[in-house]
Amino acid sequence: MDETLIDDVISVEEIAGQFELSSRQLRRILRKELGLSPSAMLQTRRLLLAKQLLTDTELPITEVAYASGFASLRRFNDVFKKQYKMPPSHLRKVAGSYAPQLASANTSTVQLIYRPPYDWQGILDFLRARMLKGAEWITQDSYSRTVKLGKHTGWVAVKHAPDKRALMVEFTH
């Protein structure tokens, strides 16, 4: 069986070759250092993305399955149930019961977690120096830009939440 790491595009052999290792050596290193096989790492990455999409968006579960890298809804449901001992729809219901109501029905918010160090002020300074007047607006702690997604036009605003090590991305249309 050909194990792949990134959406069935890059094989374990190709990644191992980039490090001048054999695929067997790479598998052994991953198992020793992380306790996972390459396919288990991919599955974990896909499940974590699916969890975030289920709790932070209103995408239909089918779209969540495909967006997180699963080839079929059936496979997604099976893997999710096995890992989390609940169907994806249950997680969405539970998360929805605790989530605060959105201030506006036309606003969506996503939280993007990052690993330190992250130079938010450096990013803002970089963007400020290249700001497009009339399309972007930058304050001391946020970045906003007009966007058009399909037939929707609105603003994307990004704010830093250092206590959560996250960026809060809000789309308003």
Side-chain angles (χ1 to χ4, degrees):
M1 180 173 127
D2 180 32
E3 291 184 72
T4 56
L5 286 179
I6 302 173
D7 299 317
D8 300 328
V9 174
I10 300 175
S11 69
V12 173
E13 287 75 18
E14 290 171 319
I15 292 173
Q18 291 175 3
F19 294 102
E20 298 181 0
L21 298 170
S22 70
S23 60
R24 184 173 181 218
Q25 287 174 305
L26 179 61
R27 284 184 181 91
R28 191 173 36 230
I29 291 168
L30 288 173
R31 178 120 4 236
K32 179 182 175 193
E33 297 297 323
L34 302 174
L36 296 170
S37 68
S39 60
M41 282 182 58
L42 174 61
Q43 183 171 296
T44 299
R45 181 182 67 93
R46 288 177 174 168
L47 285 170
L48 290 172
L49 176 57
K51 275 180 60 179
Q52 183 175 12
L53 292 173
L54 287 167
T55 59
D56 293 352
T57 73
E58 294 180 13
L59 286 173
I61 292 177
T62 303
E63 288 184 36
V64 168
Y66 293 122
S68 56
F70 287 89
S72 73
L73 180 60
R74 182 177 180 172
R75 176 74 178 140
F76 170 65
N77 284 327
D78 290 344
V79 171
F80 198 94
K81 284 179 191 175
K82 183 178 178 184
Q83 179 67 32
Y84 297 115
K85 311 293 187 241
M86 70 174 83
S89 58
H90 183 70
L91 175 65
R92 174 161 279 165
K93 286 178 192 172
V94 170
S97 67
Y98 293 112
Q101 296 298 318
L102 293 174
S104 166
N106 295 326
T107 301
S108 300
T109 304
V110 176
Q111 179 176 290
L112 302 175
I113 306 295
Y114 65 85
R115 289 187 199 161
Y118 186 75
D119 185 10
W120 176 244
Q121 286 304 313
I123 297 292
L124 287 177
D125 293 342
F126 175 85
L127 294 170
R128 191 176 289 112
R130 292 154 182 83
M131 184 171 64
L132 299 171
K133 291 183 181 179
E136 297 175 308
W137 185 43
I138 302 170
T139 67
Q140 282 300 107
D141 64 347
S142 70
Y143 169 80
S144 300
R145 177 174 173 79
T146 58
V147 294
K148 183 173 183 178
L149 298 172
K151 60 184 174 184
H152 300 286
T153 303
W155 283 89
V156 170
V158 182
K159 295 179 183 172
H160 188 225
D163 56 322
K164 295 181 180 180
R165 294 184 182 171
L167 296 175
M168 304 303 292
V169 181
E170 186 175 90
F171 174 66
T172 305
H173 62 96

